[in-house]
Amino acid sequence: MSLHIPFDNTYARLPSRFYTRQNPVPVREPELIAFNAGLAKQLGIRAGSEAERALVFSGNRVPDGAEPLAQVYAGHQFGGFSPQLGDGRANLLGESVLDDQRFDIQLKGSGPTPYSRMGDGRAWLGPVLREYVVSEAMHALGIPTSRALAATLTGEPVFRETGALPGAVLTRVASSHVRVGTFQYFAARRDLPALERLFAYVAERHYPGISSPDALLDAVIKRQAKLIAQWMSVGFIHGVMNTDNTTLSGETIDYGPCAFLDIYHPDTVFSSIDAHGRYAYSNQPNVIVWNMAQLATALVPLMPDQDAAVEVFTGSVHAMPEMIHNEWRDLFGRKIGLVSASPEDEGLITELLRIMAESRADFTNTFRALAGGKARDQFLDPKTFDIWETGWRKRLGDADDPVALMEATNPAYIPRNHRIEQMIQAAVAGDYGPFERLVTVLASPFDANDHAKDLTYPPEPSEVVQQTFCGT
């Protein structure tokens, strides 16, 4: 049976100023290198032959029912406002609908669009495989995220600073690709009809029952507060938290220079383009509040009394840091075996993080080792841990199975930066074994096994990844 996707494309039915209709640009020699059969089944996609999948997910064949388009949006990038950005190398094929659940299916690296801003519209293999691995790992960790459906080689070189690299296309899936920057685009143009249409669209698609912009803002803030706390709990650093990379659905999206902590330090930065640490690990809660303030500003024109709206919206944004902190305390409490951490327990959490930073302890392995009674080995000065452990065990007391809670909360496996880089190097040389192994192991991040023990090891000094790159 041939490949079939159950499309119903609501975004394509919005006014034409929301996007540019455009087919993907065909590639020379498409070759399918990964296909997420489990996700395809969830989406109601009939997979068809491998040859068909290669054609569709490279952009060489537009499947029946698709209405390809590039979305337009604006955004604050590292604090500076760009009034027009948009999908410079992405193409939204359409929306798959199964059992009343709707998901965008988008090709990334599918060729130039009117929003490419002098870029080539393509992607090279490294960032495509990075996003495939990391987004699927985040899903397995229980963190809202876009997902990877397929990865395809193009048979064409992509030229970057380092020279010619193999081109590739990622097919990703998300609840939607509407961003804070989408609202900013129309607000900057004082296009009230478009803002009203966008508000109605987002409310219907993501927040049924919401009927006012202030309620929408509160709902988005709630989702984003939880999302950022989840990032922090696994040591994830997005690396480029611009408003055009912040979704209204509350999903993690646009895995560019993302990375995970090895050695714990709150000020860790990996992104090569984050020269001043705006998107450092510890600053992510502050940035998301700032981003929500930009969403609030874009929503103000929709309110009948705009002066009163500013006061209401300000209150919502100012309440967000405490929401994030409460979510953070709950998640980190569970990481140390507390089903319900109280404000009084914060001292335990923050003291552990302090001595971890002081000892250059591995973030993931330290928390995982708490359950097995081996966390002491992570510290340069174990006596500092001994002091903390005494207070911790006293607090645990006769808690109901804290070991099971910690093992279910603290992953054994994360997409470690050096393993990602090794996987990319191997794939460029034609070996997809490390990629396939990472995808398999990271699908069960809490289930430790001896066959994958090496994937828990932090990098050797020669393997440390100092910087990550967008890949554009």
Side-chain angles (χ1 to χ4, degrees), residues 243-370:
T243 58
D244 55 292
N245 293 334
T246 303
T247 64
L248 271 289
S249 63
E251 293 171 296
T252 314
I253 200 167
D254 286 330
Y255 293 92
C258 66
F260 284 77
L261 292 170
D262 289 309
I263 291 170
Y264 173 71
H265 195 285
D267 298 331
T268 300
V269 176
F270 285 100
S271 171
S272 63
I273 58 175
D274 192 5
H276 303 292
R278 178 181 176 89
Y279 301 141
Y281 169 77
S282 61
N283 204 40
Q284 292 178 130
N286 298 326
V287 172
I288 198 61
V289 173
W290 193 90
N291 287 356
M292 291 298 97
Q294 310 317 308
L295 175 60
T297 300
L299 291 172
V300 165
L302 293 172
M303 298 294 283
D305 185 337
Q306 295 186 16
D307 290 336
V310 169
E311 185 175 349
V312 171
F313 287 0
T314 298
S316 294
V317 172
H318 284 180
M320 192 179 185
E322 184 176 358
M323 294 173 61
I324 298 171
H325 189 76
N326 289 341
E327 294 281 356
W328 175 91
R329 183 178 64 235
D330 180 65
L331 289 172
F332 274 81
R334 297 175 72 84
K335 288 177 76 67
I336 63 170
L338 303 175
V339 175
S340 181
S342 68
E344 290 72 30
D345 294 320
E346 285 187 29
L348 268 179
I349 299 168
T350 56
E351 178 61 11
L352 176 59
L353 291 171
R354 186 192 70 79
I355 62 174
M356 284 171 61
E358 191 176 76
S359 277
R360 298 175 59 80
D362 185 87
F363 183 88
T364 300
N365 288 348
T366 299
F367 281 106
R368 182 73 181 188
L370 285 175

